[in-house]
Amino acid sequence: MHSLLVLYYSHHGNTRQLARQLARGIEQIDGCEAILRTVADIDIQGTLTESPGTGDPFVTLEDLKNCCGLAMGSPVRFGNMAAPLKHFIDSTSAQWLAGTLIGKPASVFTSSSSMHGGQETTLQSMMLPLLHHGMLIVGLPYSEPLLHTTRCGGTPYGASHLNQGQHKLLENDEAALAQALGRRLAETAKKLHCDS
């Protein structure tokens, strides 16, 4: 069984919804399973606290070692990934030195409350540490028809959700594109013959 890690931070639940859709996509591929993990929140003093009730366990460094692919998601924070996720990524120097993630495929996903709030820069900011880890970035190609017609979330850089006003649920296009990204990530991991 190929285990793919879906790692996310979600304060209001929007990024968590995308994580669940990516996991569904991963598990549509025979021989693949999604492992959902989150990170601890950080208070204003920089102290780690409990994450807002996601129901998913906190990620461990062992999860990185054991996965054969990674999907990483964060809400948009001033055009960048949220501090709790960045805090975890910054703690992975030993894994970088060991080459734990080299050659494994990775995808990114995000959510924001405004159309031009920095989704693409957030997706790109999450790619940077993954590239430093030697991971292979997997995006959404324009062969996905919904990428041409969506009026909400979805980019070639990764899955996304636009949470406007009271509409907090994912649009059908957003869910479908997130699942497509999960499938593509899982298919890539299988083609690379990763051992989990």
Side-chain angles (χ1 to χ4, degrees):
M1 183 66 74
H2 298 291
S3 296
L4 288 98
L5 178 61
V6 180
L7 171 62
Y8 70 92
Y9 170 74
S10 187
H11 189 74
H12 298 291
N14 298 304
T15 308
R16 180 175 61 241
Q17 289 182 72
L18 278 175
R20 300 261 187 286
Q21 294 301 323
L22 263 104
R24 286 183 184 164
I26 288 167
E27 295 192 342
Q28 290 168 12
I29 304 304
D30 288 339
C32 293
E33 68 174 344
I35 308 298
L36 283 155
R37 295 290 185 266
T38 190
V39 294
D41 212 339
I42 297 176
D43 67 18
I44 198 163
Q45 286 82 29
T47 306
L48 291 174
T49 63
E50 289 297 310
S51 203
T54 66
D56 294 316
F58 289 142
V59 67
T60 66
L61 297 174
E62 199 67 17
D63 291 325
L64 291 178
K65 180 180 177 185
N66 294 333
C67 75
C68 71
L70 169 67
M72 190 167 78
S74 169
V76 171
R77 292 294 184 263
F78 301 105
N80 209 330
M81 75 175 94
L85 186 60
K86 179 79 165 63
H87 177 79
F88 173 75
I89 293 300
D90 286 348
S91 75
T92 62
S93 294
Q95 289 64 41
W96 173 75
L97 286 168
T100 301
L101 296 173
I102 291 175
K104 295 180 181 183
S107 294
V108 291
F109 58 100
T110 191
S111 62
S112 69
S113 60
S114 63
M115 177 68 80
H116 305 291
Q119 285 189 357
E120 291 182 351
T121 57
T122 299
L123 293 169
Q124 291 170 346
S125 77
M126 287 189 288
M127 290 179 194
L128 296 177
L130 304 181
L131 288 166
H132 277 264
H133 272 286
M135 300 194 83
L136 308 172
I137 303 299
V138 175
L140 271 171
Y142 276 98
S143 56
E144 286 295 331
L146 288 175
L147 209 51
H148 293 275
T149 59
T150 183
R151 296 289 180 251
C152 43
T155 78
Y157 307 106
S160 64
H161 167 57
L162 178 60
N163 171 25
Q164 291 186 315
Q166 294 178 298
H167 190 75
K168 296 196 180 283
L169 296 178
L170 298 183
E171 294 283 347
N172 291 338
D173 288 359
E174 294 171 330
L177 287 167
Q179 286 184 30
L181 184 58
R183 286 191 301 273
R184 189 156 192 259
L185 181 64
E187 287 166 350
T188 302
K190 281 184 73 171
K191 287 178 184 173
L192 291 170
H193 304 290
C194 294
D195 296 320
S196 54

